Amino acid sequence: MSIFLRARMAEAPRVAMLGDVFVDMQADGVSGLPEWGMDRTAAAVHLLPGGSCANTARNLAGLARGALSVSLFSALGDDELGRYFLRRVKEEGLLHSPESTLRLLPRVSQSCCIILSGMKHVKPLGGLVRLDADRAMVSCYSSTSQLSVSECAPELGDSEWALLHLGGYFNCPKLHTEDLLGLCRSVRSSGGIVSFDPQFDASEKWQGEGQHLHRLLSIVDVMLPSEIEAMGIAGTQESPNAAMEELSRRYPSALVVVKLGAKGAIAARGAERWKQPVFPTQVVDATGAGDAFDAGFLLQFLLDNTNVEAALRAGAAAGAATVARSGACVNPLEGADIQFFLETSAGS
């Protein structure tokens, strides 16, 4: 049983996760980013299920452990890597009916992300050199670029959802349609929540196809961008706080949560403001921390959407649990992983 959803309902609330799926090829312990014609050493290389939406979905299902029915809707390449992803999530047994919600696309290769994870040298002005955990990525968007709402019908449109989460929006240009706006309106009209994590916009236009993003954010309940994404969407490089204020001004009914990495998270809705520090932990790998934050936050927010402070703490705890181990989501989080941080530290 989840540490958040302590009282199981007669029927588990249904959650739809719509967005990107990748297969990650992760190199750990990278000694430095290579230049053209050069080589760098790595401690190990792993093949892992990945993607922002997929990571959040698997972590959410792992934390809820049956208290929610979590469905992941996406497109996979009909190749060995796409079938690898489908095989992994079926073996985990956490997601609802992945064989029907994950569509294998004929003659399309699986989207992949090559992740270089290691320590970078940072030399602050007037200070000593220090090592910070960081990562760099190279991505192929082949199958995620083909994902559309119609690709997921009828399962996605024929059900009522307690939550519709849109993950990896900028990785999925065929979601930038009126169909998606109609789906969001339908979920909200039936009492559900719509949440949104954009991921980085490789075009750096931050508008979506045909300036779709503004229309989408006007009907979103919760935004969960990183600080870079928030500043890009808000069109300001002044600071993450300025970006949050601008987004809150444009979309006053939405809860805007900006993830700040090692600096925690800030949030705004209307006149209310919140700030959540990180939980102290040894950082092994920062990959996937934001996706895990989404999962922890959304689980607690589903339990009580009036208690934003508790949701931020749950998100920060999920992020801390993820950075303390290697890989974005090698194995989904469990309730005990979050409970450890919530019971042993107040955040600092």
Side-chain angles (χ1 to χ4, degrees):
M1 173 66 70
S2 162
I3 61 169
F4 305 112
L5 301 175
R6 296 185 183 278
R8 186 184 297 273
M9 298 181 182
E11 183 177 350
R14 302 191 67 199
V15 171
M17 315 292 285
L18 174 62
D20 60 337
V21 166
F22 283 81
V23 170
D24 292 344
M25 300 177 186
Q26 177 158 329
D28 291 333
V30 176
S31 58
L33 296 182
E35 298 178 11
W36 291 113
M38 296 181 62
D39 190 12
R40 293 288 187 179
T41 60
V45 177
H46 309 280
L47 186 67
L48 305 168
S52 173
C53 191
N55 291 339
T56 300
R58 294 169 60 231
N59 278 324
L60 180 58
L63 289 169
R65 287 289 165 177
L68 294 175
S69 177
V70 181
S71 298
L72 172 61
F73 292 90
S74 193
L76 303 177
D78 190 8
D79 59 10
E80 182 56 36
L81 292 177
R83 289 188 289 272
Y84 158 79
F85 183 93
L86 182 57
R87 186 168 61 249
R88 272 292 299 263
V89 295
K90 288 174 67 175
E91 290 171 353
E92 285 175 354
L94 295 172
L95 298 175
H96 176 74
S97 191
E99 63 279 358
S100 63
T101 63
L102 296 170
R103 303 301 174 86
L104 291 168
L105 303 180
R107 299 178 297 281
V108 175
S109 60
Q110 171 60 38
S111 291
C112 293
C113 184
I114 300 171
I115 303 171
L116 306 180
S117 176
M119 306 296 288
K120 67 178 181 180
H121 291 77
V122 180
K123 187 175 183 180
L125 291 175
L128 299 175
V129 173
R130 72 174 192 269
L131 291 174
D132 277 359
D134 211 339
R135 70 250 192 246
M137 305 178 188
V138 178
S139 300
C140 169
Y141 300 94
S142 48
S143 54
T144 63
S145 68
Q146 301 302 309
L147 175 63
S148 65
V149 173
S150 61
E151 193 70 45
C152 301
E155 291 91 344
L156 185 56
D158 287 351
S159 301
E160 290 191 358
W161 304 101
L163 170 72
L164 169 65
H165 177 72
L166 310 174
Y169 170 84
F170 285 120
N171 296 337
C172 307
K174 287 192 175 182
L175 289 181
H176 304 184
T177 63
E178 290 296 326
D179 285 348
L180 181 64
L181 301 181
L183 175 63
C184 293
R185 293 188 186 102
S186 176
V187 169
R188 296 185 80 201
S189 67
S190 63
I193 295 167
V194 176
S195 59
F196 167 83
D197 186 324
Q199 281 294 288
F200 186 79
D201 182 7
S203 74
E204 298 191 59
K205 296 179 180 177
W206 302 103
Q207 296 177 348
E209 298 293 320
Q211 298 187 330
H212 180 268
L213 182 60
H214 172 68
R215 287 177 290 159
L216 175 62
L217 293 183
S218 297
I219 53 174
V220 160
D221 298 293
V222 182
M223 303 182 207
L224 292 156
S226 70
E227 55 186 307
I228 293 174
E229 294 154 6
M231 289 189 288
I233 295 170
T236 176
Q237 297 301 310
E238 181 182 345
S239 69
N241 192 73
M244 180 188 71
E245 295 294 339
E246 175 60 20
L247 291 173
S248 185
R249 182 192 67 79
R250 290 184 198 173
Y251 310 105
S253 64
L255 173 61
V256 181
V257 180
V258 180
K259 296 171 286 188
L260 307 176
K263 298 186 291 291
I266 51 178
R269 181 173 56 195
E272 296 181 278
R273 299 292 181 270
W274 298 269
K275 183 176 181 180
Q276 172 63 47
V278 298
F279 288 87
T281 189
Q282 180 180 2
V283 178
V284 175
D285 183 358
T287 310
D291 305 331
F293 179 101
D294 290 358
F297 179 94
L298 291 171
L299 181 57
Q300 180 62 42
F301 194 74
L302 278 172
L303 174 64
D304 182 2
N305 61 23
T306 68
N307 194 340
V308 175
E309 182 179 359
L312 289 170
R313 281 178 54 80
T322 296
V323 301
R325 58 193 194 182
S326 180
C329 187
V330 179
N331 296 301
L333 293 172
E334 299 181 4
D337 300 322
I338 306 303
Q339 189 170 15
F340 170 80
F341 286 99
L342 294 178
E343 292 184 350
T344 59
S345 175
S348 65

